[in-house]
Amino acid sequence: MSPPPPEQSAAELAAAGERRRGRRPAGQDTKDALLAAARAEFSAHGYQGARVRSIASAAGVDAAMVNHWFGGKEGLFAAAMDLPIKPEVLLSRLLDGAREDLGERIVRTFLTVWDGTGGGAFVALLRSVSTHEEAARMLREFVTEVVFRRLADVVGADRPALRASLCGSQLVGLGMARYVIKFEPLASADIATLAITIGPNLQRYLTEPLP
Amino acid sequence: MSPPPPEQSAAELAAAGERRRGRRPAGQDTKDALLAAARAEFSAHGYQGARVRSIASAAGVDAAMVNHWFGGKEGLFAAAMDLPIKPEVLLSRLLDGAREDLGERIVRTFLTVWDGTGGGAFVALLRSVSTHEEAARMLREFVTEVVFRRLADVVGADRPALRASLCGSQLVGLGMARYVIKFEPLASADIATLAITIGPNLQRYLTEPLP
DNA sequence: GTCTATACAACGATAGAC
DNA sequence: GTCTATCGTTGTATAGAC
């Protein structure tokens, strides 16, 4: 069904340029090469479709470099998309605490992380998402398959996919309202206020019975 | 008084390649001129700062033409921004019914209107909003000053501006999730399901006590 | 000599072919 | 069910910069 993947690229690289072991000459081109290759691969095949080995081959290095420099596939995606936090750190923050405070904690973490970049990173992200279809696909796939899935496991309610997408809609809208459109007074409100106003609604999405 | 339509002979129509029979749709030039002038004026001065008289003057027509063709400043704005519904129609739909169903009615109206365009209009709107600062300013100002204000009057709760911007965040996020990012299953869910899941959260934003 | 960026081999998990 | 290929990840040895 699927054509044989061009695994020769690694061998070709090994044949053309000698892949020496050990520390390479200064100038960290490995990280940049991986990032460039990752953007192309993620954009072409989505998050799940992108292969770490293919990215590493395209960058001319070993797949283990992804782990060494970015902590894994998720970290590489986060770096390639300029996300202000690694998904594993995000999830560990969210899941650390009482379950009845999960909604508020999600809002507080979301705003703390994006406020930290002055909102510029969010604007950039949503600009590319609304302009490039591939960016929208990448974000959709990554958020649903990586972030939502693990979150839904913890909540343990029915219809986890619907609940997750409902939460996602409120969070994306919060970012749009605060950083892009700048609805007042929401755009200037402090995080605590928004956490206790929006948090319960996320909690409801996550736990309340659905039709 | 409308300007006298220029009488044309059959020969002149044939020479110009005119295929339409009967009376030509008068006023299209005027409408287009007004729309172009309106986009420039709204973009430069925002919704409130834009003067109907300035727009009409720039279009070379009388200010009364705005009322004649677009029903007023709001209708002109809606047409200039390619909004799929006129704000007055939108608001009359929202305010027609029991107040405890307002949240659900907002979601149902929002989705019905934008689904009617296949979502393309929403994508186009948010693309321009996320790329052009003026577009963001126009939308922000219009929604807060025109839509939210009147909605808040009906609800009659405290801190109407905060409540309105909270509702706006959820609605913008709903549109992003459904039409741009396409979170599943939200993107494919029927309107009734989303109305009864999201509606109560809007209702809470509008009526629940705030800190 | 020390440090570390690197390559290679191998492991557990998973998905599809048969 | 079994087998196989491939995935992401991990452990480890090493070469070269410092």
Side-chain angles (χ1 to χ4, degrees), chain B residues 34-51 55 73 76-77 80-81 128 131-142:
Chain B
L34 277 173
L35 282 177
R39 292 195 181 96
E41 178 90 1
F42 283 129
S43 173
H45 303 103
Y47 178 76
Q48 289 196 121
R51 315 292 182 122
I55 295 173
K73 187 180 184 178
L76 178 60
F77 181 87
M81 291 283 282
S128 70
T131 46
H132 304 315
E133 177 60 34
E134 324 90 62
R137 177 189 171 195
M138 286 163 63
L139 184 67
R140 163 181 62 237
E141 200 183 326
F142 180 77

mmCIF file of all heavy atoms in Angstrom, chain B residues 34-51 55 73 76-77 80-81 128 131-142:
data_model
loop_
_atom_site.group_PDB
_atom_site.id
_atom_site.type_symbol
_atom_site.label_atom_id
_atom_site.label_comp_id
_atom_site.label_asym_id
_atom_site.label_seq_id
_atom_site.Cartn_x
_atom_site.Cartn_y
_atom_site.Cartn_z
ATOM 1 N N LEU B 34 -19.403 53.057 -2.227
ATOM 2 C CA LEU B 34 -19.595 53.215 -0.788
ATOM 3 C C LEU B 34 -18.832 52.141 -0.016
ATOM 4 O O LEU B 34 -18.215 52.425 1.020
ATOM 5 C CB LEU B 34 -21.087 53.138 -0.452
ATOM 6 C CG LEU B 34 -21.875 54.447 -0.627
ATOM 7 C CD1 LEU B 34 -23.371 54.200 -0.439
ATOM 8 C CD2 LEU B 34 -21.388 55.486 0.378
ATOM 9 N N LEU B 35 -18.879 50.914 -0.512
ATOM 10 C CA LEU B 35 -18.172 49.831 0.187
ATOM 11 C C LEU B 35 -16.679 50.099 0.215
ATOM 12 O O LEU B 35 -16.030 49.936 1.255
ATOM 13 C CB LEU B 35 -18.450 48.499 -0.513
ATOM 14 C CG LEU B 35 -19.814 47.878 -0.221
ATOM 15 C CD1 LEU B 35 -20.002 46.608 -1.038
ATOM 16 C CD2 LEU B 35 -19.935 47.561 1.269
ATOM 17 N N ALA B 36 -16.125 50.508 -0.905
ATOM 18 C CA ALA B 36 -14.685 50.780 -0.946
ATOM 19 C C ALA B 36 -14.325 51.920 -0.004
ATOM 20 O O ALA B 36 -13.358 51.819 0.774
ATOM 21 C CB ALA B 36 -14.267 51.125 -2.380
ATOM 22 N N ALA B 37 -15.117 52.976 -0.046
ATOM 23 C CA ALA B 37 -14.839 54.105 0.839
ATOM 24 C C ALA B 37 -15.012 53.705 2.303
ATOM 25 O O ALA B 37 -14.253 54.133 3.180
ATOM 26 C CB ALA B 37 -15.770 55.270 0.492
ATOM 27 N N ALA B 38 -16.007 52.841 2.564
ATOM 28 C CA ALA B 38 -16.261 52.426 3.941
ATOM 29 C C ALA B 38 -15.089 51.609 4.479
ATOM 30 O O ALA B 38 -14.658 51.801 5.627
ATOM 31 C CB ALA B 38 -17.553 51.618 4.010
ATOM 32 N N ARG B 39 -14.566 50.708 3.656
ATOM 33 C CA ARG B 39 -13.451 49.877 4.132
ATOM 34 C C ARG B 39 -12.254 50.769 4.497
ATOM 35 O O ARG B 39 -11.601 50.553 5.522
ATOM 36 C CB ARG B 39 -13.059 48.867 3.049
ATOM 37 C CG ARG B 39 -14.125 47.813 2.811
ATOM 38 C CD ARG B 39 -13.596 46.622 2.023
ATOM 39 N NE ARG B 39 -14.671 45.644 1.793
ATOM 40 C CZ ARG B 39 -15.405 45.583 0.689
ATOM 41 N NH1 ARG B 39 -15.179 46.442 -0.297
ATOM 42 N NH2 ARG B 39 -16.361 44.691 0.569
ATOM 43 N N ALA B 40 -12.004 51.745 3.670
ATOM 44 C CA ALA B 40 -10.881 52.641 3.964
ATOM 45 C C ALA B 40 -11.131 53.441 5.235
ATOM 46 O O ALA B 40 -10.254 53.550 6.104
ATOM 47 C CB ALA B 40 -10.649 53.575 2.775
ATOM 48 N N GLU B 41 -12.329 53.956 5.365
ATOM 49 C CA GLU B 41 -12.640 54.816 6.511
ATOM 50 C C GLU B 41 -12.689 54.010 7.815
ATOM 51 O O GLU B 41 -12.123 54.436 8.829
ATOM 52 C CB GLU B 41 -13.986 55.522 6.271
ATOM 53 C CG GLU B 41 -14.448 56.404 7.417
ATOM 54 C CD GLU B 41 -13.943 57.834 7.299
ATOM 55 O OE1 GLU B 41 -13.240 58.128 6.302
ATOM 56 O OE2 GLU B 41 -14.255 58.643 8.199
ATOM 57 N N PHE B 42 -13.358 52.862 7.795
ATOM 58 C CA PHE B 42 -13.411 52.018 8.985
ATOM 59 C C PHE B 42 -12.008 51.570 9.387
ATOM 60 O O PHE B 42 -11.657 51.540 10.566
ATOM 61 C CB PHE B 42 -14.305 50.799 8.747
ATOM 62 C CG PHE B 42 -15.775 51.086 8.807
ATOM 63 C CD1 PHE B 42 -16.626 50.686 7.791
ATOM 64 C CD2 PHE B 42 -16.323 51.773 9.886
ATOM 65 C CE1 PHE B 42 -17.977 50.942 7.847
ATOM 66 C CE2 PHE B 42 -17.681 52.040 9.952
ATOM 67 C CZ PHE B 42 -18.517 51.622 8.919
ATOM 68 N N SER B 43 -11.221 51.203 8.397
ATOM 69 C CA SER B 43 -9.873 50.739 8.686
ATOM 70 C C SER B 43 -9.022 51.842 9.291
ATOM 71 O O SER B 43 -8.183 51.598 10.160
ATOM 72 C CB SER B 43 -9.233 50.232 7.395
ATOM 73 O OG SER B 43 -7.882 49.919 7.621
ATOM 74 N N ALA B 44 -9.257 53.059 8.850
ATOM 75 C CA ALA B 44 -8.421 54.164 9.313
ATOM 76 C C ALA B 44 -8.854 54.665 10.683
ATOM 77 O O ALA B 44 -8.015 55.039 11.509
ATOM 78 C CB ALA B 44 -8.452 55.312 8.301
ATOM 79 N N HIS B 45 -10.154 54.699 10.942
ATOM 80 C CA HIS B 45 -10.637 55.348 12.159
ATOM 81 C C HIS B 45 -11.420 54.427 13.081
ATOM 82 O O HIS B 45 -11.962 54.889 14.077
ATOM 83 C CB HIS B 45 -11.513 56.550 11.790
ATOM 84 C CG HIS B 45 -10.805 57.558 10.917
ATOM 85 N ND1 HIS B 45 -11.029 57.662 9.554
ATOM 86 C CD2 HIS B 45 -9.858 58.468 11.195
ATOM 87 C CE1 HIS B 45 -10.267 58.614 9.045
ATOM 88 N NE2 HIS B 45 -9.539 59.125 10.018
ATOM 89 N N GLY B 46 -11.526 53.137 12.752
ATOM 90 C CA GLY B 46 -12.328 52.262 13.575
ATOM 91 C C GLY B 46 -13.808 52.461 13.306
ATOM 92 O O GLY B 46 -14.204 53.288 12.474
ATOM 93 N N TYR B 47 -14.630 51.699 14.028
ATOM 94 C CA TYR B 47 -16.061 51.785 13.747
ATOM 95 C C TYR B 47 -16.650 53.115 14.195
ATOM 96 O O TYR B 47 -17.333 53.803 13.433
ATOM 97 C CB TYR B 47 -16.808 50.638 14.415
ATOM 98 C CG TYR B 47 -18.298 50.724 14.187
ATOM 99 C CD1 TYR B 47 -18.846 50.380 12.966
ATOM 100 C CD2 TYR B 47 -19.153 51.177 15.195
ATOM 101 C CE1 TYR B 47 -20.204 50.479 12.745
ATOM 102 C CE2 TYR B 47 -20.514 51.267 14.981
ATOM 103 C CZ TYR B 47 -21.039 50.922 13.757
ATOM 104 O OH TYR B 47 -22.395 51.029 13.542
ATOM 105 N N GLN B 48 -16.366 53.468 15.426
ATOM 106 C CA GLN B 48 -16.977 54.704 15.942
ATOM 107 C C GLN B 48 -16.387 55.943 15.273
ATOM 108 O O GLN B 48 -17.102 56.898 14.989
ATOM 109 C CB GLN B 48 -16.762 54.783 17.452
ATOM 110 C CG GLN B 48 -17.585 53.782 18.212
ATOM 111 C CD GLN B 48 -17.644 54.134 19.686
ATOM 112 O OE1 GLN B 48 -18.718 54.344 20.238
ATOM 113 N NE2 GLN B 48 -16.481 54.194 20.318
ATOM 114 N N GLY B 49 -15.079 55.892 15.050
ATOM 115 C CA GLY B 49 -14.428 57.063 14.484
ATOM 116 C C GLY B 49 -14.811 57.322 13.038
ATOM 117 O O GLY B 49 -14.672 58.452 12.557
ATOM 118 N N ALA B 50 -15.264 56.306 12.351
ATOM 119 C CA ALA B 50 -15.639 56.505 10.945
ATOM 120 C C ALA B 50 -16.926 57.328 10.857
ATOM 121 O O ALA B 50 -17.877 57.083 11.595
ATOM 122 C CB ALA B 50 -15.828 55.151 10.271
ATOM 123 N N ARG B 51 -16.932 58.303 9.971
ATOM 124 C CA ARG B 51 -18.114 59.164 9.798
ATOM 125 C C ARG B 51 -18.826 58.761 8.525
ATOM 126 O O ARG B 51 -18.196 58.675 7.463
ATOM 127 C CB ARG B 51 -17.708 60.632 9.686
ATOM 128 C CG ARG B 51 -16.667 61.081 10.699
ATOM 129 C CD ARG B 51 -17.236 61.088 12.090
ATOM 130 N NE ARG B 51 -16.255 61.559 13.055
ATOM 131 C CZ ARG B 51 -16.465 62.604 13.843
ATOM 132 N NH1 ARG B 51 -17.568 63.296 13.759
ATOM 133 N NH2 ARG B 51 -15.556 62.932 14.724
ATOM 134 N N ILE B 55 -17.562 58.938 4.560
ATOM 135 C CA ILE B 55 -17.597 57.808 3.625
ATOM 136 C C ILE B 55 -18.375 58.192 2.370
ATOM 137 O O ILE B 55 -17.920 57.975 1.244
ATOM 138 C CB ILE B 55 -18.225 56.583 4.320
ATOM 139 C CG1 ILE B 55 -17.330 56.113 5.476
ATOM 140 C CG2 ILE B 55 -18.455 55.472 3.313
ATOM 141 C CD1 ILE B 55 -17.946 55.023 6.320
ATOM 142 N N LYS B 73 -25.397 52.754 9.288
ATOM 143 C CA LYS B 73 -23.964 52.568 9.500
ATOM 144 C C LYS B 73 -23.624 51.113 9.817
ATOM 145 O O LYS B 73 -22.633 50.574 9.321
ATOM 146 C CB LYS B 73 -23.508 53.480 10.645
ATOM 147 C CG LYS B 73 -22.004 53.511 10.857
ATOM 148 C CD LYS B 73 -21.643 54.446 12.020
ATOM 149 C CE LYS B 73 -20.140 54.559 12.192
ATOM 150 N NZ LYS B 73 -19.781 55.492 13.289
ATOM 151 N N LEU B 76 -23.796 48.986 6.736
ATOM 152 C CA LEU B 76 -22.646 49.272 5.881
ATOM 153 C C LEU B 76 -21.399 48.565 6.395
ATOM 154 O O LEU B 76 -20.627 47.982 5.620
ATOM 155 C CB LEU B 76 -22.407 50.785 5.818
ATOM 156 C CG LEU B 76 -21.195 51.235 4.995
ATOM 157 C CD1 LEU B 76 -21.324 50.786 3.546
ATOM 158 C CD2 LEU B 76 -21.042 52.754 5.060
ATOM 159 N N PHE B 77 -21.228 48.586 7.713
ATOM 160 C CA PHE B 77 -20.079 47.891 8.295
ATOM 161 C C PHE B 77 -20.162 46.390 8.011
ATOM 162 O O PHE B 77 -19.175 45.763 7.616
ATOM 163 C CB PHE B 77 -20.026 48.140 9.801
ATOM 164 C CG PHE B 77 -18.857 47.488 10.489
ATOM 165 C CD1 PHE B 77 -17.635 48.136 10.569
ATOM 166 C CD2 PHE B 77 -18.978 46.226 11.045
ATOM 167 C CE1 PHE B 77 -16.565 47.540 11.196
ATOM 168 C CE2 PHE B 77 -17.905 45.618 11.677
ATOM 169 C CZ PHE B 77 -16.696 46.285 11.753
ATOM 170 N N ALA B 80 -19.276 45.774 4.492
ATOM 171 C CA ALA B 80 -17.860 46.017 4.223
ATOM 172 C C ALA B 80 -17.001 44.888 4.780
ATOM 173 O O ALA B 80 -15.962 44.545 4.213
ATOM 174 C CB ALA B 80 -17.429 47.358 4.822
ATOM 175 N N MET B 81 -17.413 44.304 5.895
ATOM 176 C CA MET B 81 -16.636 43.217 6.500
ATOM 177 C C MET B 81 -17.108 41.857 6.008
ATOM 178 O O MET B 81 -16.620 40.825 6.483
ATOM 179 C CB MET B 81 -16.785 43.277 8.028
ATOM 180 C CG MET B 81 -16.115 44.478 8.659
ATOM 181 S SD MET B 81 -14.330 44.252 8.774
ATOM 182 C CE MET B 81 -14.207 43.153 10.200
ATOM 183 N N SER B 128 -8.083 37.906 8.146
ATOM 184 C CA SER B 128 -7.745 39.329 8.086
ATOM 185 C C SER B 128 -7.558 39.895 9.485
ATOM 186 O O SER B 128 -6.727 40.776 9.703
ATOM 187 C CB SER B 128 -8.833 40.093 7.331
ATOM 188 O OG SER B 128 -10.015 40.136 8.087
ATOM 189 N N THR B 131 -4.073 38.984 10.738
ATOM 190 C CA THR B 131 -2.932 39.536 10.014
ATOM 191 C C THR B 131 -2.911 41.053 10.033
ATOM 192 O O THR B 131 -1.850 41.650 10.095
ATOM 193 C CB THR B 131 -2.937 39.048 8.547
ATOM 194 O OG1 THR B 131 -4.257 39.178 8.017
ATOM 195 C CG2 THR B 131 -2.495 37.618 8.449
ATOM 196 N N HIS B 132 -4.091 41.675 9.981
ATOM 197 C CA HIS B 132 -4.130 43.133 9.943
ATOM 198 C C HIS B 132 -4.618 43.697 11.276
ATOM 199 O O HIS B 132 -5.719 43.386 11.730
ATOM 200 C CB HIS B 132 -5.042 43.620 8.821
ATOM 201 C CG HIS B 132 -4.659 43.085 7.478
ATOM 202 N ND1 HIS B 132 -3.359 43.052 7.032
ATOM 203 C CD2 HIS B 132 -5.393 42.521 6.490
ATOM 204 C CE1 HIS B 132 -3.320 42.523 5.818
ATOM 205 N NE2 HIS B 132 -4.547 42.174 5.472
ATOM 206 N N GLU B 133 -3.780 44.531 11.844
ATOM 207 C CA GLU B 133 -4.138 45.121 13.131
ATOM 208 C C GLU B 133 -5.416 45.955 13.020
ATOM 209 O O GLU B 133 -6.237 45.971 13.935
ATOM 210 C CB GLU B 133 -2.979 45.996 13.616
ATOM 211 C CG GLU B 133 -3.255 46.731 14.920
ATOM 212 C CD GLU B 133 -3.550 45.770 16.056
ATOM 213 O OE1 GLU B 133 -2.957 44.670 16.074
ATOM 214 O OE2 GLU B 133 -4.384 46.109 16.913
ATOM 215 N N GLU B 134 -5.587 46.612 11.884
ATOM 216 C CA GLU B 134 -6.778 47.460 11.724
ATOM 217 C C GLU B 134 -8.052 46.617 11.708
ATOM 218 O O GLU B 134 -9.081 47.022 12.253
ATOM 219 C CB GLU B 134 -6.705 48.252 10.421
ATOM 220 C CG GLU B 134 -5.320 48.720 10.040
ATOM 221 C CD GLU B 134 -4.610 47.685 9.190
ATOM 222 O OE1 GLU B 134 -5.093 47.379 8.094
ATOM 223 O OE2 GLU B 134 -3.561 47.182 9.634
ATOM 224 N N ALA B 135 -7.958 45.451 11.084
ATOM 225 C CA ALA B 135 -9.126 44.584 11.052
ATOM 226 C C ALA B 135 -9.482 44.129 12.458
ATOM 227 O O ALA B 135 -10.660 44.087 12.830
ATOM 228 C CB ALA B 135 -8.865 43.379 10.151
ATOM 229 N N ALA B 136 -8.465 43.800 13.249
ATOM 230 C CA ALA B 136 -8.719 43.409 14.630
ATOM 231 C C ALA B 136 -9.374 44.561 15.391
ATOM 232 O O ALA B 136 -10.326 44.365 16.149
ATOM 233 C CB ALA B 136 -7.410 43.007 15.313
ATOM 234 N N ARG B 137 -8.879 45.755 15.168
ATOM 235 C CA ARG B 137 -9.438 46.915 15.859
ATOM 236 C C ARG B 137 -10.887 47.137 15.444
ATOM 237 O O ARG B 137 -11.761 47.379 16.275
ATOM 238 C CB ARG B 137 -8.617 48.151 15.506
ATOM 239 C CG ARG B 137 -9.158 49.418 16.121
ATOM 240 C CD ARG B 137 -8.438 50.635 15.560
ATOM 241 N NE ARG B 137 -9.095 51.866 15.987
ATOM 242 C CZ ARG B 137 -8.863 53.037 15.415
ATOM 243 N NH1 ARG B 137 -8.016 53.135 14.418
ATOM 244 N NH2 ARG B 137 -9.483 54.103 15.849
ATOM 245 N N MET B 138 -11.157 47.019 14.151
ATOM 246 C CA MET B 138 -12.518 47.206 13.672
ATOM 247 C C MET B 138 -13.466 46.211 14.312
ATOM 248 O O MET B 138 -14.518 46.572 14.838
ATOM 249 C CB MET B 138 -12.545 47.040 12.148
ATOM 250 C CG MET B 138 -11.951 48.193 11.379
ATOM 251 S SD MET B 138 -11.567 47.740 9.670
ATOM 252 C CE MET B 138 -13.197 47.359 9.045
ATOM 253 N N LEU B 139 -13.092 44.951 14.263
ATOM 254 C CA LEU B 139 -13.971 43.920 14.815
ATOM 255 C C LEU B 139 -14.163 44.120 16.315
ATOM 256 O O LEU B 139 -15.285 44.059 16.826
ATOM 257 C CB LEU B 139 -13.387 42.532 14.533
ATOM 258 C CG LEU B 139 -14.263 41.373 14.991
ATOM 259 C CD1 LEU B 139 -15.536 41.318 14.171
ATOM 260 C CD2 LEU B 139 -13.525 40.046 14.899
ATOM 261 N N ARG B 140 -13.063 44.333 17.008
ATOM 262 C CA ARG B 140 -13.135 44.524 18.451
ATOM 263 C C ARG B 140 -14.089 45.655 18.798
ATOM 264 O O ARG B 140 -15.010 45.506 19.597
ATOM 265 C CB ARG B 140 -11.740 44.856 18.995
ATOM 266 C CG ARG B 140 -11.758 45.465 20.397
ATOM 267 C CD ARG B 140 -10.360 45.786 20.857
ATOM 268 N NE ARG B 140 -9.672 46.766 20.035
ATOM 269 C CZ ARG B 140 -8.517 46.572 19.436
ATOM 270 N NH1 ARG B 140 -7.928 45.419 19.527
ATOM 271 N NH2 ARG B 140 -7.955 47.523 18.724
ATOM 272 N N GLU B 141 -13.878 46.777 18.155
ATOM 273 C CA GLU B 141 -14.670 47.951 18.489
ATOM 274 C C GLU B 141 -16.146 47.743 18.148
ATOM 275 O O GLU B 141 -17.031 48.070 18.932
ATOM 276 C CB GLU B 141 -14.112 49.151 17.722
ATOM 277 C CG GLU B 141 -14.506 50.470 18.321
ATOM 278 C CD GLU B 141 -13.972 51.614 17.469
ATOM 279 O OE1 GLU B 141 -12.865 51.449 16.896
ATOM 280 O OE2 GLU B 141 -14.660 52.627 17.362
ATOM 281 N N PHE B 142 -16.368 47.156 16.999
ATOM 282 C CA PHE B 142 -17.745 46.963 16.577
ATOM 283 C C PHE B 142 -18.481 45.986 17.491
ATOM 284 O O PHE B 142 -19.588 46.262 17.961
ATOM 285 C CB PHE B 142 -17.788 46.454 15.135
ATOM 286 C CG PHE B 142 -19.176 46.225 14.630
ATOM 287 C CD1 PHE B 142 -19.972 47.297 14.243
ATOM 288 C CD2 PHE B 142 -19.695 44.946 14.537
ATOM 289 C CE1 PHE B 142 -21.250 47.099 13.770
ATOM 290 C CE2 PHE B 142 -20.979 44.735 14.078
ATOM 291 C CZ PHE B 142 -21.760 45.810 13.688
#
